[in-house]
Amino acid sequence: MQVMVRVTRERCAMMNSNRRIGQFTSAVSALSVGVISVLLMLIPPLLTVTAAGAQPAVAPPASAAGPFIGPSVGLLNPPLYIIDSLETHSRFEVMFLGFMRVRGKFERTTGTLHHDPARIDEQGRTNDAITAIIDSTTLSANVVNANATNKVLRGPEFFNVEKFPSIIFKSSRFLWNSDRLTGIDGTLTLLDMTRPVTLIVQKSGCTPSNTVKRARCTAEAFLKVNRSEFGMKAWSASVSDEVKIIVELVAYPAVIEAATETKSETKSETKKTDEIKAPSTSPLAQ
C-alpha cells in the first residue's frame, strides 16, 4: 500500500514538472516569436539606410547649398580689392595765367576694385568695376603760400569741401586693347554734379603674392574735365577751365586688407593700453 502511494506521488510530481516545462517552453517560444517580429520590422529600414549611405553623394541645389564654387565665380563675382589709402596718391593740375602750372594733391583716396586677373577673356572683363572716392577735404596745393591758396581752393568758389567733401568716380566699362587696359568709362561726381568721363590708363597690372610682397593691383591713370561743367566758374580769367586729376592706385585683396586693418586696430588698442599703464614722465606730472 505504501509503495503504491509513493508511486502515485512520484507520478504527480513528474506530471507537475512536465507541465511547468511545457509552460516555460511556451513562454520562450512566444518571446522568440516577439523578438523575431521586432527584428523583421527593424531590418528593412536599416537596409534602406545602409543602401542610401552607399550611394554616391549628390551636391545639393544652389538654393540650398549656396553659390556653386567653380569657374563661373570669376565671371559672376570678380575678386574684390580694397584701394589702399596710404599707398594711393591723387593729384590735380591747373594752369594759372595761361603759362604757370599749379599742382596739388589729395591726401586720402579710398574705394573698391572688382577684377579677376585670371580672367582675360571678354566675358571676364565685362564684370570689372571700380569706385574711387577722393577726400577733397585733404586738398593741399603745392605753392609757396600754401595756406592761403588751400583756403581759397577748399572754399565755396572752388571745391567747397565743407559742403561736398567727396569726389567720386564710378566705372561703367573697362576699355581694353588686346590684353592691355587703356581706359575706363564712367562718371565723375563733383560738387554734387555727375558727368560722364573717361579715365585714361597709362599703366596697370596685378601681381600675385610672394615671400616679399602681398598680392596687389596697381594703376596709373588720369582724366581731364572742364570745371565749369560742375559749376566751378570762379577766377575763370586767371585759372584754366581744364583740370587734370591724376591717380596712382594700389589695391589689395579684400580679405588680406581686412585682416591687416584688424591687426592694425589691435596694435593701436594695445599701444593705447600700454600708454595708459605706463607712468607719465611729463614735467607737468611731477
Side-chain angles (χ1 to χ4, degrees):
M1 185 69 176
Q2 293 178 349
V3 172
M4 293 179 64
V5 171
R6 186 171 56 194
V7 170
T8 302
R9 287 179 178 175
E10 289 178 355
R11 286 181 179 178
C12 290
M14 185 176 295
M15 291 177 63
N16 290 334
S17 176
N18 290 337
R19 188 182 304 110
R20 290 173 182 171
I21 293 173
Q23 291 175 348
F24 177 76
T25 303
S26 299
V28 170
S29 298
L31 179 62
S32 300
V33 171
V35 171
I36 292 173
S37 300
V38 171
L39 289 177
L40 290 175
M41 293 174 63
L42 292 177
I43 287 174
L46 290 175
L47 292 175
T48 303
V49 172
T50 304
Q55 293 178 355
V58 178
S63 58
F68 173 69
I69 304 301
S72 63
V73 169
L75 174 61
L76 299 178
N77 300 302
L80 175 64
Y81 291 78
I82 304 297
I83 296 176
D84 190 299
S85 60
L86 297 178
E87 296 188 48
T88 298
H89 304 287
S90 300
R91 308 189 308 274
F92 67 88
E93 294 181 358
V94 295
M95 296 299 295
F96 182 67
L97 298 177
F99 66 92
M100 185 184 302
R101 192 178 301 277
V102 177
R103 296 181 175 89
K105 60 183 177 180
F106 301 97
E107 298 286 353
R108 179 177 173 80
T109 301
T110 59
T112 57
L113 167 68
H114 290 270
H115 175 65
D116 188 352
R119 294 298 300 267
I120 60 174
D121 57 287
E122 191 63 29
Q123 287 183 320
R125 292 170 176 171
T126 58
N127 292 279
D128 290 339
I130 185 172
T131 297
I133 304 171
I134 297 175
D135 185 352
S136 60
T137 65
T138 63
L139 178 152
S140 177
N142 186 21
V143 295
V144 177
N145 192 8
N147 291 334
T149 304
N150 291 343
K151 186 176 181 180
V152 173
L153 292 177
R154 294 175 184 176
E157 291 182 306
F158 286 91
F159 289 93
N160 199 2
V161 300
E162 185 175 346
K163 189 175 181 180
F164 307 107
S166 299
I167 302 171
I168 304 172
F169 173 81
K170 289 186 177 182
S171 68
S172 58
R173 183 180 59 158
F174 278 46
L175 307 174
W176 296 85
N177 181 4
S178 184
D179 60 347
R180 188 171 72 90
L181 179 63
T182 59
I184 304 175
D185 286 339
T187 59
L188 184 72
T189 301
L190 172 62
L191 300 179
D192 204 31
M193 296 185 183
T194 303
R195 301 285 184 268
V197 295
T198 297
L199 190 66
I200 305 302
V201 179
Q202 297 172 300
K203 186 188 298 184
S204 69
C206 295
T207 56
S209 61
N210 53 42
T211 56
V212 179
K213 294 182 179 180
R214 295 181 290 166
R216 65 177 187 171
C217 290
T218 61
E220 295 180 11
F222 72 89
L223 60 83
K224 294 180 178 181
V225 297
N226 293 327
R227 60 189 181 93
S228 60
E229 295 180 358
F230 296 88
M232 192 185 296
K233 300 178 180 180
W235 295 38
S236 58
S238 55
V239 179
S240 64
D241 188 30
E242 184 180 85
V243 179
K244 183 178 181 180
I245 300 176
I246 307 102
V247 178
E248 296 175 0
L249 180 145
V250 178
Y252 291 101
V255 174
I256 296 177
E257 181 70 18
T260 302
E261 290 179 357
T262 303
K263 187 175 180 181
S264 300
E265 290 175 0
T266 303
K267 286 184 177 180
S268 177
E269 291 298 327
T270 303
K271 184 178 179 181
K272 289 180 181 179
T273 303
D274 292 341
E275 289 176 351
I276 293 173
K277 292 181 180 180
S280 175
T281 57
S282 170
L284 297 178
Q286 296 177 356

